[in-house]
Every structure is written in C-alpha cells, then in structure tokens.
Amino acid sequence: MAAVDNMTTRKGALAFSPRAVFDELKGKIARYRLFRQTMNELSTLSGRELADLGLSRSMLRSVAYEAAYGTK
C-alpha cells in the first residue's frame, strides 16, 4: 500500500502545458462572449416582453451569468 500512496501522475504536469493554458483561455473567452451576447439580447427586450418571460430588469445579469457559466 505504501507504493500506491506515493505514485504521481503526469496529468498534473500536463495541466500547465501551453496548449492546456490556451484551451482554458479560449473556453473562458467563449463563455464571456456568451454572457455578453445574452446580456445584449435581454437588454433589448421591452418591459412587457420581460414580464412575459417572468423576468425583471434587475434579474438580467444573473440570468445571463447562469446561461454562460451554469448555476450560481
């Protein structure tokens, strides 16, 4: 059992490769763009349209955040 406790994997070393960093950055940018696009689209809706959706203007940021990044 002692040998198993001391084993390391190379996956941790690969997490800092330039490709992994680039892929992570690309994902973050894509999520932010989705957030901004959702905010822009929701902001163009009238108060009546938002009410039909069950939303208010104060909820737009949290709705857009949840759409882009998942649950809070």
Side-chain angles (χ1 to χ4, degrees):
M1 285 294 214
V4 174
D5 291 337
N6 293 330
M7 287 179 57
T8 59
T9 62
R10 303 230 356 116
K11 185 176 181 182
L14 295 177
F16 295 107
S17 72
R19 181 69 181 172
V21 171
F22 178 74
D23 288 342
E24 184 177 343
L25 180 61
K26 197 164 69 168
K28 286 183 178 186
I29 291 170
R31 285 188 299 275
Y32 179 72
R33 284 184 176 167
L34 177 61
F35 170 77
R36 290 302 318 157
Q37 180 183 2
T38 306
M39 277 294 296
N40 290 337
E41 290 178 7
L42 289 173
S43 296
T44 62
L45 297 176
S46 69
R48 173 104 179 170
E49 291 168 326
L50 288 172
D52 288 343
L53 295 172
L55 300 174
S56 64
R57 292 243 175 245
S58 64
M59 298 171 65
L60 297 185
R61 187 173 180 84
S62 64
V63 168
Y65 185 89
E66 188 173 340
Y69 299 103
T71 59
K72 298 177 187 177

